[in-house]
Amino acid sequence: MKRNKPLFIVLCVVSGLIMAISFFFFYLFLIALGGPETGTGKYFLNPDNYDTVECRIIYRDNHYRGIMLLLEPIDEESSSYGREYFYIDGHNEYIAENNGINEILDKAETDKDGVVITIKTTPKKFNDGYLLERAYYPIAGLSYDGQEILPFDPGYVVVSNLQYEATNRASRPVLVTGGILLFGIVIFVTNFIVFKKSKPRE
């Protein structure tokens, strides 16, 4: 077989583009799966992984679905959390709204002394599996002034199920883009080997 340099160049360019584009999206979808600081569905299903934290409500961020709260822990034992975003989603949002969470948040906007709530959360974050979304601390239980707004049971089970769903949602595009990336590598390597083994044109 004689070398076909134009074909070799075209295949190199095509396979290079396939690898570059697929790697870019592969990396983005991989981020959506979360990193070491993100908990797994199994992790969130263990009640022993949850901490009880007293927090002051700073404000609610309405740019996200679910209930996204910026909270500031007020007890020294929970100071490792710092001022962070905490998240209520899925069926937990429905339970909290039925138990008066919106009234509490309305009060937090006008109360000069601030509204203090007690939540159940984990040191590891929750990631909803959507592209370029950040990870947040989950709220699996919430009480205010002795009233249970979000019961911990089944709250932590809901968080676990949401993380399982998020992992599945993010893993599918990772597998697809990873397969395309591998396909581009195979084309590039095969093209290079064939070109090297072929005879130069006289």
Side-chain angles (χ1 to χ4, degrees):
M1 177 187 289
K2 292 185 179 181
R3 288 182 180 176
N4 189 333
K5 194 171 183 179
L7 179 60
F8 170 76
I9 294 173
V10 169
L11 289 176
C12 281
V13 171
V14 170
S15 58
L17 286 173
I18 291 174
M19 288 188 291
I21 295 172
S22 59
F23 178 78
F24 173 74
F25 284 102
F26 176 77
Y27 178 73
L28 291 183
F29 287 124
L30 201 60
I31 291 176
L33 276 175
E37 65 174 5
T38 303
T40 62
K42 185 177 181 180
Y43 173 86
F44 291 122
L45 194 57
N46 185 352
D48 295 334
N49 290 329
Y50 289 81
D51 299 325
T52 301
V53 184
E54 273 195 302
C55 301
R56 181 176 288 103
I57 300 175
I58 307 302
Y59 70 87
R60 174 179 182 173
D61 192 334
N62 293 312
H63 294 93
Y64 295 85
R65 62 187 176 281
I67 302 174
M68 184 71 71
L69 302 176
L70 180 63
L71 304 178
E72 184 176 43
I74 61 174
D75 55 326
E76 293 183 0
E77 293 182 1
S78 304
S79 59
S80 58
Y81 286 97
R83 181 182 285 204
E84 290 277 0
Y85 281 100
F86 295 78
Y87 194 39
I88 302 176
D89 197 15
H91 189 62
N92 283 346
E93 179 187 3
Y94 173 78
I95 295 174
E97 287 180 343
N98 280 350
N99 289 332
I101 185 67
N102 289 326
E103 288 77 8
I104 296 170
L105 296 177
D106 289 341
K107 182 180 179 181
E109 290 182 0
T110 58
D111 195 325
K112 294 181 180 179
D113 297 326
V115 170
V116 176
I117 59 175
T118 302
I119 64 170
K120 298 285 283 187
T121 189
T122 60
K124 288 196 173 183
K125 295 182 178 182
F126 171 88
N127 190 307
D128 62 10
Y130 286 103
L131 187 62
L132 298 181
E133 288 283 353
R134 291 170 56 192
Y136 305 94
Y137 291 109
I139 296 178
L142 188 152
S143 60
Y144 169 69
D145 198 23
Q147 180 184 358
E148 199 169 41
I149 305 301
L150 174 61
F152 181 56
D153 187 1
Y156 76 97
V157 178
V158 173
V159 171
S160 174
N161 290 337
L162 287 171
Q163 188 62 69
Y164 275 121
E165 292 172 7
T167 301
N168 291 334
R169 180 166 52 244
S171 62
R172 286 191 290 268
V174 166
L175 293 174
V176 172
T177 53
I180 296 172
L181 175 61
L182 182 61
F183 176 69
I185 293 172
V186 169
I187 292 177
F188 182 85
V189 173
T190 302
N191 182 44
F192 187 79
I193 292 173
V194 171
F195 182 78
K196 281 293 185 180
K197 287 185 175 181
S198 60
K199 297 178 181 180
R201 289 182 179 271
E202 295 180 359

